């Protein structure tokens, strides 16, 4: 109806109205896709100062005596297959059954030094302070025994 009114008013050609889609198509709207952002507080100088400090740390040149190591942790669910995967026929994809068995959760502590191109993952069964402390000790005693100071950027 709106398009008809625009044609009557002379704002649109009747050909233009026929070529335009009626609205978004069924698959154009994807509400399950969410973009996550770190939204800073409004006019918060303390937040900006801390973010600038983090950025300055990441911009330091590589120095083996003072490495900048990123540290993060995550959980992953462990799944097992109920039925074995079927071998694919020529030209067909592998067939995997959608049914699964839950096998628990693993806790992963991840360390990386981007400027050196190094990363390491330590997997534990639980998330405890002892696991965290053991990971930091391993970082200092095994991976960086000669470092004067390790700059640890923890993201969680």
């Amino acid at each position: 109806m709106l398009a008809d009114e625009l044609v009557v008013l002379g704002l649109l050609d009747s050909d233009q109205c026929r070529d335009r889609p009626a609205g978004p198509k069924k698959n154009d709207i994807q509400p399950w896709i969410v973009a996550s952002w770190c939204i800073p507080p409004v006019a918060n100088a303390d937040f900006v100062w801390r973010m600038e400090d983090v950025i300055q740390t990441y911009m330091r040149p590589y120095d083996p005596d003072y490495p900048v190591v990123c540290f993060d942790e995550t959980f992953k669910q462990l799944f097992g297959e109920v039925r074995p995967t079927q071998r694919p026929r020529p030209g067909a994809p592998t067939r995997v059954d959608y049914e699964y068995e839950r096998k628990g959760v693993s806790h992963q502590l991840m360390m990386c030094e981007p400027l050196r191109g190094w990363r390491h993952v330590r997997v534990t069964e639980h998330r405890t302070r002892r696991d965290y402390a053991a990971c930091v000790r391993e970082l200092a005693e095994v991976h960086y025994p000669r470092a004067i100071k390790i700059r640890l950027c923890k993201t969680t």
Side-chain angles (χ1 to χ4, degrees), residues 15-89:
D15 294 338
Q16 289 176 318
C17 293
R18 271 188 268 120
D19 295 341
R20 293 180 186 260
K25 293 185 180 177
K26 176 180 164 185
N27 294 328
D28 286 347
I29 299 172
Q30 300 172 342
W32 58 88
I33 296 178
V34 177
S36 297
W37 297 93
C38 177
I39 301 171
V42 177
N44 190 327
D46 187 50
F47 176 85
V48 172
W49 174 79
R50 290 179 192 275
M51 289 303 292
E52 288 175 350
D53 189 42
V54 170
I55 291 169
Q56 289 298 320
T57 301
Y58 284 127
M59 292 177 62
R60 294 178 185 267
Y62 177 70
D63 185 353
D65 293 334
Y66 297 92
V68 176
V69 178
C70 304
F71 190 89
D72 200 358
E73 60 183 337
T74 188
F75 295 94
K76 293 293 177 190
Q77 288 191 29
L78 306 175
F79 300 108
E81 293 181 355
V82 175
R83 293 176 198 84
T85 303
Q86 293 182 0
R87 298 169 98 194
R89 294 181 303 228

Side-chain angles (χ1 to χ4, degrees), residues 71-73 107-111 120-122 131-132 135:
F71 190 89
D72 200 358
E73 60 183 337
H107 178 237
Q108 299 174 0
L109 295 160
M110 295 165 285
M111 301 161 277
H120 180 72
V121 179
R122 182 182 177 117
D131 293 328
Y132 181 85
C135 187

